[in-house]
Each structure stands twice: as structure tokens, then as C-alpha cells.
Amino acid sequence: LSADNYLQKSYTFDNETVFDAEKLATILVANTSILRAKGTIKTMEGWKLLNYTLTDCLFESCFDCSKSEFVIIIIIEKSDINKIEIFDSELKKLFQE
């Protein structure tokens, strides 16, 4: 990879935002351009470490945090700049259901 064909984007959510880990995993897996995601999220089961790779998506219990934060690394070609917008849109839908 080079800086020309991947993008890193950070997401931060306040302490009131609660994720459905299974739905988040589904979105990550469905977006085949996402290479990696890592961070902490608040779920109904408590705080979890998010560790997504091309082969697995794990959520492990962790310490309480003040906010949910994670980073994704996505493969992107100049012609596919909207891939990050597609992920953003799907992520927003998690909280509209």
C-alpha cells in the first residue's frame, strides 16, 4: 500500500452513543475495501475493544472509556472516492433504526 491508494479515517462518538456490535461487524465485513478497523466502542454489553482485520472481527471487553473512538483503513482508488461516504452512510443508519 502507498498513501495514494488507501485512506485512514477516525470516528468519535460521545458516551451516550451505544453500538450494536453485530451490526457494526456486518457493515465492516460487507465493505470489502476496509482493510482494518481498531478502537473502543460502547455496546449494550459494556465497553468493547474493536479489532477488525480481513480475516476476523473481534469485540473484547475492556475498561470504561469516556467516548467511542475507532479508525478504519480503507483501500481507495481515485475513481472510488465515494467508498468512505458509503461507509459513513451505513454507519449513520445504525443509529436511525
Side-chain angles (χ1 to χ4, degrees):
L1 292 176
S2 71
D4 293 334
N5 65 353
Y6 79 92
L7 177 68
Q8 177 177 314
K9 184 166 181 186
S10 298
Y11 295 87
T12 302
F13 298 86
D14 63 32
N15 196 12
E16 301 302 314
T17 303
V18 179
F19 284 84
D20 180 321
E22 288 183 30
K23 288 182 180 179
L24 179 57
T26 299
I27 290 171
L28 291 168
V29 170
N31 284 277
T32 57
S33 296
I34 297 175
L35 297 176
R36 188 88 162 89
K38 192 165 187 155
T40 56
I41 62 168
K42 185 177 184 179
T43 71
M44 292 299 289
E45 294 79 34
W47 287 94
K48 303 286 183 182
L49 290 173
L50 160 64
N51 190 5
Y52 171 80
T53 65
L54 291 174
T55 59
D56 210 355
C57 188
L58 300 174
F59 295 94
E60 299 176 350
S61 295
C62 70
F63 53 88
D64 288 357
C65 300
S66 60
K67 58 189 169 192
S68 293
E69 297 179 285
F70 61 92
V71 174
I72 64 166
I73 298 173
I74 189 168
I75 296 174
I76 197 159
E77 301 293 330
K78 290 181 181 176
S79 62
D80 295 332
I81 196 72
N82 67 341
K83 287 181 180 179
I84 198 76
E85 293 168 359
I86 291 168
F87 179 77
D88 289 350
S89 174
E90 291 171 352
L91 191 59
K92 287 177 187 174
K93 287 178 188 175
L94 281 180
F95 306 107
Q96 294 173 352
E97 296 177 351

